Amino acid sequence: MAQVYTVHPESPQRRVVEQVRDALRGGAVMLYPTDTVYAIGCDLNSKSAVQKVRQIKQLANDKPLTFLCSSLSDIAKYAQVSDASYRLMRRFVPGPLTFILPATKLVPKLVQNPKRKTTGIRVPDHAVAQALLESLGNPIISTSANVGVSPDDEYVPISSASTAELFDAFDKLVDLIVDNGQAPSNDVSTILDLCEDPIRVLRQGRGWDEIAPLLEGAIAE
């Protein structure tokens, strides 16, 4: 059974955050809230934990994983950011947009797209996620918590379920659960590939209405 840590949604208790941080440093995998959906996460630099996340999601090693950074300047450590990309990103960071960018050497190969050498990064506008990032000092893997398979063989978000159903589904899969007392969201992030010009829109989700007017000529997939 997963250890449940209860935190205040706006002012996460430092003691609890540090307990979660210590577990992550020890290779734990967690279920935790973000400003989009509940996510499965771990320390980006824990190879064993990243492998466990892949097992939970049933992802092959050639499928890249997204992670959270604490700020735009932090993103620059893990990705190559062009001037044009920076100007766009600074208007929407922090927030629900995920950016696909060329990875730097700080990004473990187990997380990257092995062919393109790219990575997906987001800066959350969420008190609990930010507190965990600040305390850990490393990016945190963030892949949506989902369960089951749809008719087109894609995983279906469980975040539309109640908190109790969500926690029950992952109780035996993760090492710890972070509960901020709020109902799970079903709003996935918008994903933009900034590696090419024009920008490629890989998924429309939360934040799309705000950024869409700036993406005339972008390629939707």
Side-chain angles (χ1 to χ4, degrees):
M1 292 180 61
Q3 175 73 43
V4 179
Y5 292 90
T6 303
V7 295
H8 190 278
E10 300 299 333
S11 302
Q13 303 91 320
R14 181 176 178 179
R15 175 183 57 82
V16 179
V17 169
E18 289 177 347
Q19 289 175 336
V20 174
R21 174 204 65 196
D22 292 344
L24 293 177
R25 287 179 176 172
V29 171
M30 66 177 173
L31 177 71
Y32 70 110
T34 73
D35 51 342
T36 56
V37 298
Y38 252 82
I40 303 168
C42 66
D43 185 339
L44 176 71
N45 294 326
S46 175
K47 184 175 180 180
S48 62
V50 172
Q51 287 284 26
K52 183 173 180 179
V53 171
R54 288 192 175 280
Q55 291 172 3
I56 293 172
K57 291 275 293 190
Q58 299 184 29
L59 293 175
N61 286 346
D62 61 350
K63 297 294 184 181
L65 288 169
T66 297
F67 58 88
L68 304 182
C69 281
S70 61
S71 65
L72 184 54
S73 61
D74 202 29
I75 286 180
K77 299 176 185 177
Y78 297 91
Q80 300 170 30
V81 183
S82 68
D83 290 342
S85 294
Y86 179 83
R87 288 193 295 270
L88 177 70
M89 293 165 64
R90 69 180 180 181
R91 299 182 61 172
F92 297 95
V93 168
L97 302 183
T98 297
F99 304 102
I100 307 299
L101 295 158
T104 68
K105 293 181 179 180
L106 289 180
V107 180
K109 291 183 178 180
L110 189 58
V111 173
Q112 300 179 28
N113 180 311
K115 294 182 179 179
R116 300 182 67 208
K117 308 299 183 186
T118 58
T119 191
I121 309 180
R122 190 166 73 82
V123 178
D125 185 13
H126 191 272
V128 174
Q130 280 288 355
L132 292 172
L133 286 165
E134 180 181 354
S135 186
L136 181 63
N138 290 328
I140 295 175
I141 292 294
S142 178
T143 178
S144 58
N146 33 45
V147 68
V149 178
S150 66
D152 56 359
D153 290 332
E154 297 215 348
Y155 281 94
V156 213
I158 194 178
S159 46
S160 58
S162 68
T163 304
E165 290 172 323
L166 178 66
F167 290 178
D168 184 62
F170 287 92
D171 182 50
K172 296 180 180 179
L173 299 177
V174 299
D175 302 300
L176 61 96
I177 294 172
V178 180
D179 180 8
N180 68 343
Q182 296 182 333
S185 167
N186 197 33
D187 297 327
V188 296
S189 67
T190 290
I191 303 178
L192 303 177
D193 187 337
L194 304 185
C195 298
E196 301 175 10
D197 187 18
I199 292 171
R200 295 164 59 209
V201 181
L202 304 187
R203 183 175 71 192
Q204 295 181 18
R206 188 175 175 193
W208 172 249
D209 290 343
E210 289 76 15
I211 198 170
L214 302 179
L215 296 181
E216 184 177 353
I219 300 174
E221 297 193 359

